[in-house]
Every structure is written in C-alpha cells, then in structure tokens.
Amino acid sequence: MSTPILEVRRLEKRYAASGILSRSRAGLKAVDGVSFAVEAGSTFGLVGESGCGKTTLARALLYLDPPTVGEVLFEGTPLGGLSRAGLRGFRRHMQIVFQDPNGALDPKMSVRASMGEGLANLGVPRAERERRTAAALELVGIQPAHAGRYPHEFSGGQKQRITIARALSVDPRLLVLDEPVSNLDVSIQAQIINLLLDLKSRLALTYLFISHDLNLVAYLADRIAVMYRGRIVELGSTARILDSALHPYTRRLFASVPRLTGERIAPKMEGDSEAGDSSRKGCRYAARCERGELACHSNDPELHDAGGGHLVACLLPEKNDQGG
Ligand SMILES: Nc1ncnc2c1ncn2[C@@H]1O[C@H](COP(=O)(O)OP(=O)(O)O)[C@@H](O)[C@H]1O
Ligand SMILES: [Mg+2]
C-alpha cells in the first residue's frame, strides 16, 4: 500500500485550565487521542457537532497550534521533528480554508496584498507573485483585474473564493477545508461546493473536509470520521457510514433536522456537546444514548475494527440493518 498523504497518530490537544469556569484542573482535552490516515487524491470527511474539537484538530495537524501529544506525518515525514523553517516549507503543501472569510482576510489589505503575503514568505519574487495570484483568482472565478480591491468590496461567497485562491496560490497538495460553506447563504453554498469539486479534479488535490453536516460530508467524502467530544467514534468508507452506521451518534447525525438557515443541527442536550472532560468515566456518549446500558457508564469503549476496516467506539453497536 502507498504511503498516505496525511497520517495523524494518537493526537491530543489540551487547553490549559483558566479561570473558575474551567472544566477540570487538568484543563480541557479538546482532542483526545485521534488517529486517521488520508489517501492521496481522496476526500476525507470529518464530521461532528459544534465544539467537538474539529477546528482544534485541524489547527494541530497543520502545526499552526502544535499537538500536545501525538504525531502527524505528511507523505511519511513527521512534522513534529521539523525546524520552524522546515515546517514553513512543508506548509505550502498543506493549506487550510477557514469557515469565516471575514476573519481570514485583513480588511485593510487589498486582495493582491493578502495573497502576495504567503508567496513572499516562500521567497517568490514579485513578478511571479503577481502571475500566481492572477492565475489562482482566475481558477476560483474572480477577475484578476479586481485584485486591487479590498475585502468589503466583495460578497461573502466571493470572499470565500478569494481565501480558496490564496490557499491554492502556493500550489498545495492537501487542502484542509474547515466548514468552508457554513457561513455562506444557502444559495451560495452549492456554488462553492461545486467549485471545490471542480478544483479537486483539475488540480489533483486531496481534501480533508470538515463539517457539522453529515449529509454534506457524505456527498463529498470517500471516507468519513465521526467525532464526538474530542474522539473519533466511527470511521469508515462513506458507503458503510451511509448504509450501515454502527454508532448511535452517527445515526443521530443523519436524522438531524434542517433549520431555516440551511444549517443542520442534531438534537442537543445542554452542555453535552463539548470536548473531553478528563474526570469522566465510561462512554462519553452514554448520557445521550438511547441504547445506553449500565456497562456504558463505567467502560470507555475503544475504537475497534467491526469488520472490513469499519471502526467504531461503542460497546453495543447498532446491528447492520441492510447487510443482515
Ligand atoms: N484557544 C482555546 N482555548 C481554550 N479552549 C478552546 C480554545 N479553542 C477551542 N477551545 C475549546 O475546545 C473545544 C473544541 O473547540 P473547536 O475545536 O473549536 O470545536 P469545533 O471546531 O468542532 O466547533 C471547545 O470546548 C472549545 O470551547
Ligand atoms: Mg470549528
């Protein structure tokens, strides 16, 4: 088997405890021992409700905010062993697009200046920066002649196109897309999704696509990891997740209701969506689980192979409805 383009091994990210609201003295484990691999050329989907640790995981695996524990390998190279300069060189291969283009684009900088920054950091000369910026804007459907304009002169969808262009301008192989359409009008979401699909095939990209919307992830991804409170609770091919989800939480995500805004949310129990609390015993989903039994409150289920590379962390996984 070929080396995965990205491999994440037992990644943990802890935030220091601060103030009287902190969950425990040990701090908050926002990501608690996550492992997965992404094959080159594929789309890997990461799904889970707000607060489960998706953005923390994305930032940690790119070493924007390094992991507390664990390893990240890009094409077999452990990022943890790299110097700052080495890491900077690697980052051009893996870029991220965030949910909110307004936060990602400096309102006081022209599109040209914003886009030139990353290229300048890589030592790309001015003329070449200009050429690459224009080419990237063209790819995402923004007129290169508008590169002198400022963020407020563009719509939300156009701004997200510009952040995608900026990510692409350094010629990455892997794009981490962290809820790239969640802040956009429903009418614009499909355009951006289609753009991403088009770019992926034209540029032979690999995607790590992050969303709270399992139906959207299932539409785009080849493989899906479902995250709950800092952990992966189910991981498998999209076909398996669609046809025979094993974890009760995955099933609940599919049943989530569309809201007027187009955002899909799962029914929520107060204060129970957040990442790991180290004082807890047993399965972190037990309090919400309709199948939960006594054992679930004392045994923390490990992610294990339920057959054919379909992983689940549940003591009482759903029986396969379809396969019999
Ligand atoms: N910088 C930070 N300091 C402390 N806690 C944080 C920080 N960023 C995120 N968190 C907490 O970590 C958990 C996961 O957050 P996040 O990764 O943003 O989740 P998601 O992207 O899935 O919505 C949440 O409980 C959040 O409050
Ligand atoms: Mg997030």
Side-chain angles (χ1 to χ4, degrees):
M1 266 177 72
S2 61
T3 309
I5 187 167
L6 178 73
E7 205 180 337
V8 173
R9 293 183 183 161
R10 296 177 302 279
L11 189 147
E12 283 183 29
K13 182 70 189 180
R14 205 166 307 175
Y15 290 117
S18 62
I20 52 166
L21 291 176
S22 65
R23 307 190 130 235
S24 72
R25 210 173 286 176
L28 174 80
K29 248 191 212 175
V31 177
D32 188 5
V34 162
S35 303
F36 63 93
V38 180
E39 297 302 323
S42 71
T43 294
F44 188 93
L46 179 69
V47 67
E49 67 202 332
S50 174
C52 76
K54 304 181 298 294
T55 297
T56 301
L57 173 59
R59 294 181 55 85
L61 68 86
L62 291 161
Y63 273 71
L64 295 170
D65 202 359
T68 315
V69 180
E71 264 190 319
V72 180
L73 294 90
F74 185 84
E75 294 177 345
T77 303
L79 299 184
L82 296 175
S83 64
R84 277 173 68 146
L87 205 51
R88 206 176 311 128
F90 253 88
R91 267 210 202 102
R92 67 186 307 177
H93 302 313
M94 29 199 279
Q95 288 284 305
I96 184 162
V97 173
F98 290 107
Q99 175 172 358
D100 179 14
N102 293 313
L105 294 170
D106 186 335
K108 294 190 289 297
M109 283 168 84
S110 70
V111 167
R112 175 181 291 109
S114 270
M115 289 187 62
E117 234 179 10
L119 290 164
N121 285 340
L122 290 171
V124 176
R126 178 182 286 273
E128 174 70 4
R129 294 207 293 268
E130 189 69 19
R131 194 194 63 75
R132 285 222 221 167
T133 296
L137 286 174
E138 200 139 7
L139 270 176
V140 302
I142 299 284
Q143 287 187 45
H146 293 169
R149 296 187 179 179
Y150 288 81
H152 75 266
E153 298 177 78
F154 296 94
S155 69
Q158 287 174 320
K159 277 184 270 200
Q160 197 59 306
R161 285 173 192 265
I162 292 164
T163 67
I164 293 167
R166 182 173 61 182
L168 293 176
S169 68
V170 297
D171 209 8
R173 296 203 275 278
L174 173 74
L175 217 51
V176 177
L177 300 154
D178 187 2
E179 309 239 25
V181 299
S182 301
N183 265 29
L184 304 177
D185 286 351
V186 185
S187 57
I188 307 297
Q189 291 182 359
Q191 291 175 21
I192 299 293
I193 292 299
N194 287 332
L195 171 69
L196 290 169
L197 286 170
D198 177 49
L199 291 169
K200 180 169 182 286
S201 61
R202 281 168 77 177
L203 305 174
L205 295 164
T206 304
Y207 285 167
L208 171 54
F209 188 91
I210 299 173
S211 175
H212 62 271
D213 183 342
L214 181 51
N215 292 295
L216 177 59
V217 168
Y219 176 68
L220 292 169
D222 302 296
R223 290 174 68 72
I224 296 176
V226 179
M227 200 169 168
Y228 184 72
R229 298 181 75 180
R231 284 230 182 135
I232 290 177
V233 296
E234 182 156 10
L235 193 160
S237 69
T238 299
R240 289 294 288 265
I241 300 285
L242 274 172
D243 297 341
S244 45
L246 295 171
H247 201 285
Y249 179 60
T250 309
R251 300 208 161 197
R252 191 193 298 225
L253 282 181
F254 271 126
S256 68
V257 286
R259 289 200 309 202
L260 281 179
T261 59
E263 185 191 354
R264 289 170 185 275
I265 49 158
K268 221 173 195 172
M269 271 172 61
E270 185 112 351
D272 200 35
S273 65
E274 291 206 330
D277 175 349
S278 29
S279 61
R280 170 206 46 84
K281 245 183 19 180
C283 175
R284 57 195 69 200
Y285 188 64
R288 278 172 85 177
C289 188
E290 65 278 10
R291 299 168 60 88
E293 291 183 2
L294 212 54
C296 300
H297 294 276
S298 50
N299 298 308
D300 192 1
E302 290 286 330
L303 196 61
H304 64 275
D305 195 335
H310 184 172
L311 311 182
V312 66
C314 179
L315 295 174
L316 310 161
E318 304 273 351
K319 294 283 183 299
N320 182 348
D321 289 338
Q322 275 81 17

